[in-house]
Amino acid sequence: MKMINCPLNGLRNSSEFVYGGEVKDMPDHRSCSDREWAEYIFFHENAVAVVTEWWLHAPSSYWFIGERHTGRDEFLRTYDPSERFSTRVEFASSVVESEK
């Protein structure tokens, strides 16, 4: 049985987790092209290396960051996102003012 160390809930069965993609720099969503945004959302390196990824502990809805070696599928470290991010990105409402 594979176990993952959740920073909030401790060591848990891997079946409780959902992969959320690589942690990478987000382009400015107000000015980037559709192609740049699509590359950010859908493309990743897929290399055998240590990668930094988003993970969700589904039962508690807790998002955290994991550093994982993709070749060995081994977690080297897991931690709370506050260790890396200090601000939250806010997206504008999709409702246009004239539609209100």
Side-chain angles (χ1 to χ4, degrees):
M1 170 179 358
K2 182 176 176 184
M3 305 294 281
I4 298 175
N5 186 33
C6 175
L8 180 66
N9 300 289
L11 206 55
R12 310 297 299 174
N13 188 302
S14 64
S15 65
E16 295 183 13
F17 297 89
V18 178
Y19 172 75
E22 292 180 25
V23 175
K24 51 189 174 181
D25 293 332
M26 184 175 74
D28 186 341
H29 62 279
R30 296 167 299 225
S31 63
C32 71
S33 68
D34 289 345
R35 181 180 180 89
E36 289 172 312
W37 190 252
E39 287 176 358
Y40 169 71
I41 298 294
F42 298 111
F43 298 118
H44 55 30
E45 292 296 319
N46 199 25
V48 175
V50 174
V51 294
T52 305
E53 305 167 320
W54 286 104
W55 285 87
L56 170 70
H57 180 246
S60 64
S61 297
Y62 175 72
W63 283 97
F64 64 94
I65 297 174
E67 293 174 2
R68 184 176 65 93
H69 189 284
T70 58
R72 297 189 305 263
D73 193 22
E74 173 188 2
F75 281 86
L76 306 174
R77 178 176 180 232
T78 58
Y79 55 94
D80 188 84
S82 65
E83 289 187 31
R84 182 172 179 140
F85 301 102
S86 59
T87 59
R88 179 182 172 95
V89 175
E90 297 293 339
F91 293 93
S93 171
S94 60
V95 177
V96 178
E97 282 297 315
S98 62
E99 295 177 358
K100 288 184 179 178

